[in-house]
């Protein structure tokens, strides 16, 4: 078994022909090699799999009610978005996600700073956080139905519960990893605590907060969908099982695809925003 | 002499805080300030938890959940690590699968449950597959990243000294990639615990998720909370175990890097 790392040759050399012979001329390599050496092969694979899906369903190679052709799913996606059915459903989900996310993250950031800045707060809160953060959120939802009923408050609480502890920990690790010289200098100059928080702790913790916010975003969406599945009367988690029971599998697949697109777009948007907020921390975070 | 005393002083505020959370709840239920039907007293919940453990009721659901979790997690991790090493090492394998993975990765895996149920039914095959899928992607992404971050000089040096591919894999690639793999496995562990419990709740044929949801549907309020305590303990224990594994396997990584 030969361990070849062809990617490093182009990665370190930047693809510039400074070293003759390091990169073969494209014309000489032939079409197959060219496809294999770029992402084209991967895109072709995706297209081939989609065609396979289409063909197996269209020509009845897979005889199953659960296997609608890909084109039918896309048509259903288009139709259900236009009719407003899917938009209403995804809107309910995102509205819950947003409220739970903001609540949990806000609380988590405050707790995180408290832990980093006061030793007493750390000693007081850390054991509880350590216990709470390992609880799988799904298990919390059914008992909480007794408290909140089946409406949005339950789901918002579940999302906030899932997010608050990781958020507190990443904030605390960011604010806690600050070079003590900075805080000492601030103290030497007799700066007020609120000023130190704003101008010293906050910028130091910001890259960690952003990282926490990003992972929490995905988590919040998953927990929303899951809580809609368990305690459902609205949202996409509920819709998925509704369509499954009703054997409307095409609509079900369409909903999954929409959910995936939304999850992807949210993450993309967040990355763009993150890049703007902590552009100065790029080099540090890369290490 | 003074060291244990200092430790006791240090853990006191934490215990006091937990007590400060539970005590008002206990008193409120005792004095009927809240509806006892829906919000049971913490003492009653802990007593029921104790009963569930002592009478051995805990074993069947716990073992079901643990075996599903272990199976799905192991399958997902092994597949992801081996595939990740291939993708990290061979540019062409990477090119071939990267777009597909980019498409599949953002799917919230819990949303695949209805599909899994359609194809695999409500049995263990469905749960193992869902847990495996949820485990797969974080570990895969991290493994690929880890392999590509390995200094090529190390590999070239090893090859110059005539080491075989297998030796390079075991002695260089895997140790260098281990911190990345473990970081992915840590994310996957908490996700797969969430997923196995939701799968059990929906299929309702055994496991911790099933008993929690059963308690909720049958209005066994105290039992429902008691099972939650058990699941919480499981989550805590798994996390503790994972930290131990991490310390043992990547002891050379300084803790400040995490």
């Amino acid at each position: 078994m030969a361990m070849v790392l062809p990617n490093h040759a182009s990665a370190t050399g930047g693809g510039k022909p400074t070293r003759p012979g390091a990169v073969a001329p494209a014309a000489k390599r032939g079409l197959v090699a060219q496809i294999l050496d770029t992402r084209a092969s991967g895109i072709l694979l995706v297209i081939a799999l989609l065609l396979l899906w289409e063909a197996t369903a269209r020509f009845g190679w897979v005889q199953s009610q659960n296997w609608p052709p890909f084109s039918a799913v896309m048509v259903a996606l288009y139709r259900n978005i236009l009719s407003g059915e899917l938009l209403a459903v995804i809107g309910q989900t995102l509205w819950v996600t947003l409220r739970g996310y903001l609540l949990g993250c806000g609380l988590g950031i405050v707790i995180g700073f408290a832990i980093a800045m006061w030793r007493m707060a750390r000693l007081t809160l850390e054991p509880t956080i350590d216990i709470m953060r390992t609880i799988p959120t799904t298990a919390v939802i059914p008992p909480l139905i007794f408290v909140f009923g089946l409406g949005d408050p339950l789901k918002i609480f579940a999302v906030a519960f899932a997010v608050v502890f990781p958020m507190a920990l990443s904030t605390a690790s960011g604010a806690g990893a600050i070079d003590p010289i900075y805080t000492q200098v601030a103290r030497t100059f007799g700066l007020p605590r609120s000023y130190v928080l704003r101008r010293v702790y906050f910028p130091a913790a910001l890259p960690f907060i952003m990282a926490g916010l990003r992972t929490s975003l995905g988590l919040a969406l998953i927990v929303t969908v899951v809580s809609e599945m368990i305690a459902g009367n609205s949202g996409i988690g509920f819709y998925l099982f509704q369509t499954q029971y009703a054997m409307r599998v095409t609509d079900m697949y369409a909903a999954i695809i929409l959910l995936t697109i939304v999850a992807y777009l949210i993450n993309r948007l967040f990355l763009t925003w993150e890049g703007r907020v902590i552009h100065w921390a790029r080099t540090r975070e890369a290490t | 002499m003074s060291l244990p005393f200092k430790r006791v002083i240090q853990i006191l505020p934490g215990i006091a805080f937990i007590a400060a959370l539970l005590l008002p709840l206990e008193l409120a239920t005792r004095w009927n300030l809240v509806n006892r039907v829906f919000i049971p007293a913490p003492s009653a919940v802990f007593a029921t938890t104790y009963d569930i453990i002592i009478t051995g009721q805990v074993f069947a659901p716990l073992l079901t959940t643990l075996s599903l979790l272990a199976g799905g997690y192991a399958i997902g991790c092994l597949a992801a690590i081996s595939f990740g090493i291939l993708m990290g090492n061979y540019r062409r394998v990477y090119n071939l699968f990267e777009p597909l993975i980019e498409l599949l990765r953002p799917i919230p895996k819990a949303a695949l449950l209805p599909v899994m149920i359609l194809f695999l039914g409500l049995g263990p095959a469905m749960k193992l597959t869902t847990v495996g899928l949820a485990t797969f992607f974080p570990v895969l992404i991290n493994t690929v990243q880890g392999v590509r971050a390995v200094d090529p000089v190390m590999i070239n040096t090893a090859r110059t000294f005539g080491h075989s591919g297998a030796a390079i894999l075991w002695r260089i690639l895997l140790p260098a990639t281990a911190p990345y793999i473990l970081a992915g496995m840590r994310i996957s562990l908490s996700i797969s615990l969430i997923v196995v419990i939701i799968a059990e709740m929906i299929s309702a044929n055994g496991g911790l998720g099933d008993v929690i949801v059963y308690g909720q549907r049958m209005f066994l309020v105290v039992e429902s909370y008691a099972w939650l305590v058990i699941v919480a303990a499981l989550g805590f224990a798994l996390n503790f175990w994972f930290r131990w594994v991490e310390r043992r396997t990547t002891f050379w990584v300084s803790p400040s890097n995490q």
Side-chain angles (χ1 to χ4, degrees):
Chain A
M1 181 162 63
M3 289 284 165
V4 200
L5 286 157
N7 51 322
H8 287 294
S10 57
T12 49
K16 297 275 189 297
T18 44
R19 285 174 295 172
V23 183
K28 268 193 183 173
R29 281 183 301 161
L31 189 63
V32 177
Q34 260 187 61
I35 290 172
L36 285 175
D37 287 336
T38 56
R39 283 183 95 216
S41 61
I43 293 161
L44 284 178
L45 177 71
V46 171
I47 294 170
L49 286 175
L50 289 178
L51 283 177
L52 187 69
W53 177 358
E54 183 71 26
T56 48
R58 230 356 113 200
F59 305 130
W61 299 343
V62 175
Q63 290 280 358
S64 168
Q65 288 207 305
N66 314 331
W67 197 241
F70 176 68
S71 56
V73 175
M74 293 319 274
V75 169
L77 177 63
Y78 178 72
R79 197 173 291 154
N80 292 347
I81 287 177
L82 276 196
S83 75
E85 177 179 306
L86 265 182
L87 289 184
V89 167
I90 196 92
Q92 287 159 350
T93 300
L94 289 180
W95 180 224
V96 168
T97 309
L98 180 72
R99 284 180 286 170
Y101 178 71
L102 291 181
L103 183 67
C105 289
L107 206 60
I109 291 172
V110 171
I111 295 174
F113 275 118
I115 289 175
M117 291 178 75
W118 293 291
R119 209 176 91 91
M120 202 57 201
R122 185 169 65 81
L123 292 178
T124 311
L125 296 174
E126 221 169 39
T128 311
I129 294 176
D130 268 342
I131 295 170
M132 301 294 262
R133 78 189 171 91
T134 51
I135 301 178
T137 316
T138 29
V140 181
I141 296 165
L144 283 178
I145 294 176
F146 295 126
V147 182
F148 291 108
L150 283 178
D152 278 3
L154 168 74
K155 296 168 205 160
I156 293 170
F157 183 91
V159 172
F161 181 87
V163 163
V164 63
F165 304 111
M167 207 56 230
L169 286 181
S170 47
T171 307
S173 66
I178 186 172
D179 191 337
I181 298 231
Y182 291 133
T183 51
Q184 279 159 15
V185 168
R187 206 176 305 149
T188 309
F189 282 99
L191 297 173
R193 196 117 205 174
S194 63
Y195 185 86
V196 179
L197 173 66
R198 250 183 317 125
R199 302 304 294 269
V200 181
Y201 278 101
F202 187 70
L206 199 54
F208 290 80
I209 293 177
M210 293 308 282
L213 283 175
R214 180 153 39 92
T215 38
S216 297
L217 195 54
L219 191 63
L221 191 61
I222 292 176
V223 170
T224 314
V225 174
V226 162
S227 55
E228 285 163 351
M229 286 176 169
I230 306 170
N233 50 17
S234 67
I236 204 155
F238 178 65
Y239 181 84
L240 285 176
F241 273 104
Q242 218 183 10
T243 46
Q244 192 230 45
Y245 288 140
M247 290 311 285
R248 289 164 54 198
V249 282
T250 317
D251 294 334
M252 183 187 79
Y253 284 111
I256 293 176
I257 289 177
L258 179 68
L259 180 63
T260 307
I261 294 171
V262 167
Y264 181 79
L265 284 182
I266 289 177
N267 195 42
R268 273 279 125 198
L269 279 177
F270 190 92
L271 284 175
T272 314
W273 182 59
E274 187 183 31
R276 278 203 200 158
V277 173
I278 49 167
H279 52 92
W280 44 269
R282 269 278 149 260
T283 44
R284 249 185 54 195
E285 212 196 10
T287 54
Chain B
M1 242 342 243
S2 69
L3 205 69
F5 179 70
K6 214 176 162 191
R7 264 192 73 80
V8 168
I9 291 288
Q10 277 186 348
I11 60 169
L12 268 182
I15 294 169
F17 184 71
I18 295 172
L21 286 179
L22 292 180
L23 199 65
L25 195 60
E26 178 78 30
L27 293 178
T29 49
R30 289 270 164 104
W31 296 337
N32 280 323
L33 296 176
V34 291
N35 192 339
R36 278 167 82 170
V37 178
F38 296 118
I39 303 173
S43 59
V45 172
F46 286 121
T48 311
T49 311
Y50 180 78
D51 280 345
I52 289 172
I53 294 169
I54 285 297
T55 55
Q57 282 178 66
V58 69
F59 286 115
L62 187 65
L63 281 182
T64 309
T65 301
L66 267 182
S67 52
L68 285 173
L69 185 67
Y73 187 65
I75 294 168
C77 285
L78 279 178
I81 293 169
S82 26
F83 198 53
I85 286 177
L86 282 178
M87 277 183 71
N89 250 320
Y90 299 104
R91 187 75 201 176
R92 287 181 173 182
V93 180
Y94 181 84
N95 286 337
L96 187 58
F97 289 106
E98 191 263 347
L100 183 66
I101 285 162
E102 276 306 298
L103 279 180
L104 296 180
R105 190 164 66 113
I107 301 179
K109 298 304 166 301
L112 288 179
L113 270 173
V115 183
M116 293 294 162
I117 292 173
L118 280 182
F119 282 100
L120 298 168
L122 293 171
M126 177 273 286
K127 293 168 202 162
L128 285 174
T129 313
T130 316
V131 173
L133 270 178
T135 306
F136 182 76
F137 287 95
V139 180
L140 177 75
I141 304 296
N142 273 37
T143 309
V144 172
Q145 243 180 8
V147 172
R148 304 186 108 193
V150 174
D151 189 350
V153 171
M154 288 207 285
I155 291 168
N156 290 337
T157 309
R159 212 178 296 137
T160 309
F161 282 98
H163 284 292
S164 66
I168 292 174
L169 177 67
W170 273 111
R171 297 272 176 79
I172 296 173
L173 267 181
L174 275 180
T177 317
Y180 290 83
I181 296 178
L182 281 167
M185 283 174 67
R186 183 204 268 279
I187 300 169
S188 290
L189 185 64
S190 50
I191 296 176
S192 53
L193 191 57
I194 288 180
V195 167
V196 74
I197 284 175
I198 172 88
E200 286 173 345
M201 284 178 172
I202 285 163
S203 55
N205 50 13
L208 291 169
D210 180 26
V211 286
I212 288 182
V213 141
Y214 179 81
Q216 182 252 320
R217 297 216 174 112
M218 295 292 126
F219 254 91
L220 303 167
V221 181
V222 182
E223 281 79 358
S224 193
Y225 282 100
W227 283 107
L228 173 60
V229 172
I230 289 166
V231 173
L234 174 67
F236 191 78
L238 283 175
N239 193 55
F240 193 80
W241 166 77
F242 196 85
R243 277 193 196 169
W244 180 79
V245 170
E246 226 170 16
R247 272 202 306 275
R248 289 294 296 267
T249 47
T250 52
F251 50 85
W252 63 86
V253 181
S254 73
S256 64
N257 283 1
Q258 313 227 338

